[in-house]
Amino acid sequence: MNFFRVLLLVLLSITVSACGGKSVWAPDAEVEKRRYVSPDDPYLMLKTMINNRTGSGGHAALVINASETVMYDPAGRWSHPLGPERNDVVYGMFPELEENYDNWHARVTHHVVNQKIYVSRAVAEKAFTLAKAAGPSLDAQCTLNVSGLLMQLEGFEAIRRTYFPAKLMRNFAELPGVTTTKVYETDEGRN
C-alpha cells in the first residue's frame, strides 16, 4: 500500500472517530414479529457491491444464518419496513427481503457478489452475538467492521482487517467451501 493511501486512511479514521454512528433501535415487538428462521444449515454470506467499470468495491454486508437469519449491514443505507434494524443488524432476512436488498444495490453501475460458506452452529451464533454487540457503525467503515467481525471467528483466521470491500471479497473467496453468485441489473438507480 502506498504512503498516500495509508495517510488517507489514517486521516479518515481520525476524522470519523470524533463522531458516533447513528443509533437505530426497532421495538421489541417489531423484531419479534419479523423474526425469520431459515430451514437452511448455518452459514455466513458476504455481500459485496462491486463497481462494474472499475472492479472496486463500494459496500460490504454479512448475512448470518444462526438461530435466526439476520444481516449485519454496517453503515448501510438500505432499509425496508419488513426488516427491522437495531444498530446495523437487520432482523427477519427472509429470501425475498434479501433479494430486495440485492436488487436495491445492483444497477447499471454496480453488481452484488454473494459469497456463502456453511459454518457450525457455534460459529454462526458467535457471528450473530458479535454483530449485535458491535453497535452503530461510522460512515465508510462497513468493510472494516465486517472484516473485524469475521476475523474473530473460528475458521476465519485468514481474514485480514481492511477498509476495502473488493479486498475482503478476494480474501473471503480463498476460504474452503465458499460458493459465489452474482446479481446484475440494468436500471439506472436504486429500486
Side-chain angles (χ1 to χ4, degrees):
M1 191 178 316
N2 69 34
F3 172 77
F4 292 107
R5 184 177 262 182
V6 171
L7 180 62
L8 176 65
L9 289 175
V10 170
L11 291 174
L12 178 65
S13 294
I14 291 169
T15 302
V16 294
S17 66
C19 309
K22 179 184 171 198
S23 180
V24 175
W25 197 262
D28 290 346
E30 189 64 18
V31 170
E32 188 57 40
K33 178 181 176 183
R34 302 295 179 196
R35 190 172 309 274
Y36 173 70
V37 179
S38 170
D40 204 355
D41 291 332
Y43 67 83
L44 302 178
M45 182 187 301
L46 179 64
K47 293 181 165 293
T48 311
M49 293 18 125
I50 298 294
N51 185 299
N52 290 333
R53 188 175 50 80
T54 66
S56 64
H59 185 62
L62 185 70
V63 174
I64 303 167
N65 185 39
S67 53
E68 59 185 290
T69 308
V70 301
M71 181 173 56
Y72 180 48
D73 190 23
R77 302 285 183 250
W78 173 86
S79 67
H80 194 283
L82 298 180
E85 178 187 342
R86 285 189 168 172
N87 290 339
D88 295 335
V89 177
V90 179
Y91 290 81
M93 285 303 293
F94 61 96
E96 292 81 7
L97 192 59
E98 186 179 334
E99 182 179 350
N100 178 276
Y101 180 87
D102 288 350
N103 291 337
W104 191 83
H105 285 89
R107 50 195 176 276
V108 71
T109 58
H110 289 78
H111 67 280
V112 179
V113 177
N114 291 315
Q115 296 169 292
K116 184 176 187 178
I117 186 169
Y118 288 97
V119 296
S120 70
R121 171 96 28 219
V123 167
E125 288 302 328
K126 183 172 182 183
F128 185 26
T129 299
L130 290 169
K132 290 187 292 186
S137 297
L138 301 172
D139 285 344
Q141 294 199 2
C142 57
T143 310
L144 185 70
N145 293 338
V146 170
S147 61
L149 183 153
L150 286 169
M151 59 191 287
Q152 296 179 64
L153 303 175
E154 181 182 338
F156 291 81
E157 295 85 1
I159 297 293
R160 297 293 167 242
R161 197 151 196 188
T162 182
Y163 275 97
F164 304 104
K167 184 175 182 179
L168 176 59
M169 179 187 71
R170 289 188 299 272
N171 196 200
F172 198 89
E174 295 173 3
L175 297 169
V178 172
T179 58
T180 302
T181 58
K182 297 178 181 181
V183 178
Y184 289 90
E185 294 231 347
T186 57
D187 58 343
E188 293 293 328
R190 296 175 172 162
N191 359 346

